[in-house]
Amino acid sequence: MAAPSAAGAQTWGGTLTAVTERVSRGISLSGDHPGATADLYYRDDRNWSLGLGLGTMRAAYGATTEVILSGTRWWQLDDRRTVMVSAAHYAYAGGAASDRLRYSEVSAGGTWDMARWGQWSGTLSVSPDLSSSNAWGYLGHRGATLVELTWHRRLVGPVAADLGWGLVDPWARGSGAYRFANAGLSVSVGDWRFSVTRLYSSVPRGNDDALQRWVGGVAWSF
């Protein structure tokens, strides 16, 4: 959950992103293929924002499109600390069984800008209907608890470093928890951002013990 900037006038904007592979919370959404997303938001001067996200997919159950609807309320405690609550719904289309992927979640979190030590953020999310599976197949929409921590710090000029860690703990019996993480560098030039990131997930993938990837991306914000 990205931290909104300080409250200001009503505004809208968005980001268009292309990546060498779409990976979300340790799960590949584009199956070794490039992907793209469009994230749009509207933010008012009462510290509310609404978001719409669209993404390409080549994932399980034939899904080809991801749609994310979200709403966020945040409170600016001071110049460095922000807390927020959010709700989101994820929907999928393109395959006969793509509805198995849909889920909703509510989240609470915050950010803390520690100046020379970088910006830290944490989020705790609860999904009542995140789908679960195990070695024997699909288990249904059983729900899960999700924890995410991130760190961002500008290193020199336009170059910044990012670290992230997360945990997904499904509520379904027989579906174990898994971890995911990322480490990368990015370069911001005007409205453009170029990044390269190393991803890790403890979810087994094919004959591999875990998913490990280098992912490159370019994003334009407006």
Side-chain angles (χ1 to χ4, degrees):
M1 180 166 53
S5 61
Q10 295 181 353
T11 185
W12 68 276
T15 302
L16 302 179
T17 305
V19 291
T20 56
E21 181 178 2
R22 285 195 68 210
V23 179
S24 176
R25 289 171 170 168
I27 303 295
S28 176
L29 301 184
S30 60
D32 298 327
H33 291 82
T37 60
D39 296 296
L40 308 174
Y41 70 84
Y42 172 80
R43 183 170 60 230
D44 69 12
D45 55 5
R46 297 170 296 176
N47 293 11
W48 282 94
S49 69
L50 300 175
L52 169 64
L54 303 172
T56 60
M57 292 186 64
R58 294 186 63 167
Y61 309 119
T64 59
T65 305
E66 179 182 55
V67 180
I68 307 170
L69 299 174
S70 63
T72 302
R73 174 71 163 93
W74 75 94
W75 294 265
Q76 195 80 33
L77 302 182
D78 52 37
D79 290 342
R80 294 186 176 182
R81 295 178 298 168
T82 304
V83 296
M84 64 198 79
V85 294
S86 178
H89 178 72
Y90 298 73
Y92 300 86
S98 60
D99 186 61
R100 290 185 177 184
L101 299 174
R102 56 95 181 149
Y103 68 100
S104 300
E105 67 183 20
V106 293
S107 306
T111 63
W112 185 9
D113 189 348
M114 299 180 68
R116 62 180 296 183
W117 300 108
Q119 184 184 72
W120 300 76
S121 66
T123 306
L124 173 64
S125 304
V126 174
S127 171
D129 57 355
L130 185 70
S131 61
S132 299
S133 60
N134 58 20
W136 292 276
Y138 173 67
L139 298 176
H141 293 271
R142 304 294 183 85
T145 302
L146 306 93
V147 178
E148 296 172 271
L149 302 173
T150 65
W151 173 79
H152 171 85
R153 186 179 187 277
R154 178 165 291 185
L155 299 179
V156 57
V159 181
D162 291 277
L163 296 175
W165 177 89
L167 172 71
V168 178
D169 188 7
W171 298 345
R173 291 185 178 180
S175 182
Y178 72 90
R179 301 170 305 281
F180 55 93
N182 66 275
L185 296 174
S186 64
V187 177
S188 298
V189 181
D191 296 330
W192 293 86
R193 182 174 184 268
F194 305 88
S195 62
V196 60
T197 305
R198 180 67 171 175
L199 303 178
Y200 166 81
S201 171
S202 63
V203 176
R205 186 179 185 279
N207 295 323
D208 299 334
D209 292 334
L211 183 149
Q212 299 187 56
R213 285 284 187 275
W214 284 104
V215 174
V218 55
W220 173 62
S221 299
F222 57 89

